[in-house]
Amino acid sequence: MIEVRREAPDGPAARALWDEYMALTRERLGEDFQPTEDIFGNAADFDTWLVLYEEGEPVACGGLRADEIKRMFVTASARGRGHGRRLLGELEAIAVQAGHRRIRLLTTEALVEARALYESAGYVVASRFRIEDRTDYWLVKDL
């Protein structure tokens, strides 16, 4: 059974998924990578935070801060089953209900799976920029 719940962005499920997300990001970007509020947002800034559960286990999360999707992540063991697409659709629907006509998100070249999902969901590159050894992308989608 799949269930999407609104939860606190600093709750137990979010913290566990965040830790895995940071491990993956450091694995791909290097141990020197430091998460910042500019990149990931501050838990207090989220308007909405969702956690997707599969059979009672938290497997994906993400949030909205105004017109921006932040911290979207699917745990490695749950990838390839449509959870990312489901979560993205839920976040977009909430953005539409809030009156947003466009949504944006920040991603990096190292998160290949995420970039493929966003592209297949209609996101386009609004800008790209280099930070040290990586390229980051602002992606946008008209809702």
Side-chain angles (χ1 to χ4, degrees):
M1 180 171 104
I2 306 300
E3 182 182 7
V4 178
R5 301 179 197 164
R6 287 184 187 229
E7 296 187 2
D10 57 355
R15 283 195 310 271
L17 289 164
W18 169 258
D19 289 345
E20 185 180 345
Y21 186 18
M22 287 300 92
L24 171 70
T25 304
R26 284 194 178 99
E27 175 185 309
R28 293 191 184 178
L29 296 178
E31 289 297 320
D32 292 336
F33 173 77
Q34 293 298 314
T36 66
E37 287 184 17
D38 288 342
I39 297 171
F40 296 102
N42 180 317
D45 295 337
F46 284 95
D47 300 319
T48 302
W49 184 260
L50 301 179
V51 177
L52 189 143
Y53 288 80
E54 180 179 46
E55 303 301 329
E57 293 296 318
V59 296
C61 64
L64 281 175
R65 181 177 72 178
D67 66 344
E68 185 179 358
I69 293 174
K70 303 293 273 181
R71 296 190 190 186
M72 195 166 132
F73 177 72
V74 177
T75 189
S77 63
R79 292 188 190 134
R81 296 199 293 269
H83 299 322
R85 189 167 305 282
R86 165 87 185 268
L87 185 60
L88 185 60
E90 297 273 350
L91 291 167
E92 290 173 348
I94 292 167
V96 167
Q97 290 170 355
H100 298 293
R101 295 190 172 171
R102 176 176 261 206
I103 193 85
R104 64 191 179 118
L105 57 86
L106 179 66
T107 192
T108 188
E109 65 187 342
L111 300 177
V112 177
E113 304 89 343
R115 289 192 51 227
L117 168 65
Y118 301 140
E119 181 180 321
S120 72
Y123 285 79
V124 296
V125 175
S127 64
R128 70 187 79 207
F129 53 96
R130 295 281 302 166
I131 296 180
E132 298 174 11
D133 294 339
R134 73 177 195 267
T135 300
D136 288 352
Y137 300 88
W138 276 107
L139 304 178
V140 297
K141 179 181 178 179
D142 292 328
L143 299 172

